[in-house]
Amino acid sequence: MIEIEVKVKADHPKAHHVLKKIGAVKLGVENQSDVYFAAPHRDFAKTDEALRIRSLNNQAVLTYKGPKLDGISKTREEFETPVDEETTIQILHALGFSEAGVVRKKREVFRSGEITVCLDIVEGLGEFLEVEIVADSEKELEASRAKLFELLKQFGAEEKDSIRISYLEMVLEKNRG
Amino acid sequence: MIEIEVKVKADHPKAHHVLKKIGAVKLGVENQSDVYFAAPHRDFAKTDEALRIRSLNNQAVLTYKGPKLDGISKTREEFETPVDEETTIQILHALGFSEAGVVRKKREVFRSGEITVCLDIVEGLGEFLEVEIVADSEKELEASRAKLFELLKQFGAEEKDSIRISYLEMVLEKNRG
C-alpha cells in the first residue's frame, strides 16, 4: 500500500467553505496523540523513516513510514498494526528505541471522491490541510499526485506550497528554536 | 510482570498420568507457530533476549523477552501485545530485523493451583514439560521457583533436569548439526 499525501498551510474557515462547495463528506473528528520513536541503529531523521504509536480513543496503532519516494508529495510506504499502547512502548524501549517527540492534533476528516481531506490543528503549530490518496502501487503515483494538486487548486494552494517536512520535524524545530 | 518457568524433557503419557493424579485442570490445546527475529543492532543470542511473533488461531502476538534473571529457571521480563501478523512482519523487516528461526509446537495447557503446566510437542525436537508461575516482582522469585521444583518432583524431574536453552536455540542447533 502506498500513501500519497500533500500537506499545506491552510485557513480552516476558508477550507470548510471549499469543502462544502465541492460536496465533501465529513467522516469524523479525531484527537490524535502521536509518539515518535528514535531507533538505536540508525538516524530516522537521515533515513527519512518514522516509527510512531498513534493513540486515538483508547485505541493505539503502531505505524512505520518508509522514506519518501519522490520530491514533491509525501509519498511513502506505510505499514501499520493495532497494538496495546503500554506494552508496545515497553517493547520498543527494551529494544533500544527511545521517544523522539510527541505531536498532538485535532483532525477533521473529510472524503471527496477517492481523496481523503484532513483539516489538522496541531498543538503549537497551527492549521493545516492534508490531502491523501491510497494507491496499490507506485505506477499510480503520477496520476494520483496530479489528482491531489488538482483538488488543492480549489483551496488556493499549488505545488510550491507543499510542506514536505513532518509535523514531528516542525515540532522539534520549534522546540530547538 | 515476571514469568518464572522451568522446562524439562518429559514422557507425555507419564505426565498425563501425574496431571490426572494431582487434579490438574486442562485449559486447552494450542497449535503455536513462533517466528523469532534477529535484531540489526545487537545479537539476541548474546544478549539473551528474544523478539517473537506467535500466531495462534488467526491471532498474533508480538512478544519481547528480556535476558534471564537467574541461573536455574528461565525467569525473565516479558512484554506482549496483540498485533496484525503480516504488517508487523513488514514493520520489523523495514526496521532491519530479520527472521532467525521458526518453532512450531502443539501445546496442551493445564492448571494446578497457581501453576500453569504445558505439555509441548515441538516439531523436530520431541516432548517437553514446562511449568510456569507469573509473579508481580522479583521478590517472589525464590518462593515461586521453589514451588515449581516442588511440583516437578511429582513428574520425576529435579533441578539438574532444567533445560535453560530455548526451543529456538534447540531448533537452530539441530539445523546446524
Side-chain angles (χ1 to χ4, degrees), chain B:
Chain B
M1 190 203 84
I2 292 179
E3 181 197 52
I4 302 150
E5 38 173 76
V6 180
K7 178 170 71 192
V8 297
K9 268 272 183 191
D11 177 85
H12 280 191
K14 269 190 201 166
H16 274 120
H17 185 74
V18 176
L19 286 165
K20 200 172 170 186
K21 202 181 72 186
I22 64 173
V25 180
K26 183 164 178 172
L27 301 182
V29 182
E30 299 172 348
N31 284 293
Q32 301 177 342
S33 173
D34 295 341
V35 181
Y36 287 85
F37 290 85
H41 57 306
R42 57 194 199 227
D43 183 349
F44 284 168
K46 281 182 186 144
T47 58
D48 189 27
E49 298 167 277
L51 186 67
R52 170 189 84 192
I53 298 180
R54 168 165 293 173
S55 45
L56 182 67
N57 318 324
N58 283 328
Q59 292 218 304
V61 173
L62 176 69
T63 304
Y64 166 85
K65 295 187 178 218
K68 290 180 201 76
L69 298 173
D70 73 312
I72 300 171
S73 68
K74 299 196 313 159
T75 313
R76 39 167 78 208
E77 214 171 20
E78 183 171 326
F79 306 121
E80 56 187 14
T81 173
V83 291
D84 171 72
E85 185 178 15
E86 193 189 330
T87 53
T88 303
I89 291 174
Q90 287 175 313
I91 291 171
L92 289 172
H93 283 168
L95 292 171
F97 289 74
S98 58
E99 276 150 54
V102 179
V103 177
R104 289 188 195 85
K105 63 174 172 287
K106 183 181 163 199
R107 166 167 280 185
E108 271 184 285
V109 186
F110 297 84
R111 187 90 184 173
S112 174
E114 58 183 320
I115 300 176
T116 304
V117 181
C118 300
L119 297 190
D120 292 340
I121 302 176
V122 186
E123 198 178 284
L125 298 179
E127 297 179 349
F128 298 85
L129 168 73
E130 205 170 79
V131 288
E132 180 184 321
I133 290 185
V134 173
D136 287 332
S137 79
E138 288 183 45
K139 283 183 213 156
E140 303 160 45
L141 204 152
E142 272 312 311
S144 300
R145 208 163 46 190
K147 283 178 199 162
L148 293 181
F149 282 112
E150 189 62 33
L151 178 64
L152 279 176
K153 264 191 210 163
Q154 311 246 21
F155 293 92
E158 43 187 312
E159 286 208 14
K160 71 169 175 51
D161 300 316
S162 171
I163 300 169
R164 290 196 73 237
I165 69 168
S166 65
Y167 291 135
L168 175 64
E169 288 168 293
M170 294 164 84
V171 165
L172 294 178
E173 212 161 89
K174 207 190 164 214
N175 292 347
R176 268 196 299 270

Side-chain angles (χ1 to χ4, degrees), chain A residues 39-42 44 49 51 62-64 78-85 87-88 90-97, chain B residues 39-42 44 49 51 62-64 79-85 87-88 90-97:
Chain A
H41 56 305
R42 57 195 198 228
F44 284 166
E49 298 167 278
L51 186 67
L62 175 69
T63 304
Y64 166 84
E78 184 171 325
F79 307 121
E80 56 186 15
T81 172
V83 291
D84 172 72
E85 185 179 14
T87 53
T88 303
Q90 287 175 313
I91 291 171
L92 289 173
H93 282 169
L95 293 172
F97 289 75
Chain B
H41 57 306
R42 57 194 199 227
F44 284 168
E49 298 167 277
L51 186 67
L62 176 69
T63 304
Y64 166 85
F79 306 121
E80 56 187 14
T81 173
V83 291
D84 171 72
E85 185 178 15
T87 53
T88 303
Q90 287 175 313
I91 291 171
L92 289 172
H93 283 168
L95 292 171
F97 289 74

Side-chain angles (χ1 to χ4, degrees), chain A residues 113-126:
Chain A
E114 58 183 318
I115 299 176
T116 304
V117 181
C118 301
L119 297 189
D120 292 339
I121 302 176
V122 186
E123 198 177 284
L125 297 180

Side-chain angles (χ1 to χ4, degrees), chain A residues 2 48 66-71 74-77 138 141 164:
Chain A
I2 291 180
D48 189 27
K68 290 180 202 76
L69 298 173
D70 74 313
K74 299 196 314 163
T75 312
R76 39 167 80 212
E77 214 173 21
E138 288 182 45
L141 205 152
R164 289 195 75 236

Side-chain angles (χ1 to χ4, degrees), chain A residues 101-171:
Chain A
V102 180
V103 176
R104 287 188 195 83
K105 64 173 171 292
K106 183 181 163 199
R107 165 167 282 186
E108 271 184 286
V109 186
F110 297 83
R111 188 88 183 172
S112 174
E114 58 183 318
I115 299 176
T116 304
V117 181
C118 301
L119 297 189
D120 292 339
I121 302 176
V122 186
E123 198 177 284
L125 297 180
E127 297 178 350
F128 298 85
L129 169 72
E130 205 170 79
V131 287
E132 178 183 321
I133 290 186
V134 173
D136 287 331
S137 80
E138 288 182 45
K139 283 182 213 159
E140 303 160 45
L141 205 152
E142 273 311 312
S144 300
R145 207 161 50 190
K147 284 178 198 161
L148 293 180
F149 283 113
E150 189 61 34
L151 179 65
L152 280 176
K153 265 192 210 164
Q154 311 247 21
F155 294 91
E158 44 188 310
E159 285 208 14
K160 70 168 175 51
D161 300 316
S162 171
I163 299 170
R164 289 195 75 236
I165 69 167
S166 66
Y167 291 135
L168 174 64
E169 288 167 292
M170 293 163 83
V171 164

Side-chain angles (χ1 to χ4, degrees), chain A residues 3 8 25-26 35 42 50-51 53 61 67 89 96 98-99 117 122 128 132 144 149 176-177:
Chain A
E3 182 196 51
V8 296
V25 180
K26 183 163 175 172
V35 181
R42 57 195 198 228
L51 186 67
I53 297 179
V61 173
I89 290 174
S98 58
E99 276 150 54
V117 181
V122 186
F128 298 85
E132 178 183 321
S144 300
F149 283 113
R176 269 196 300 269

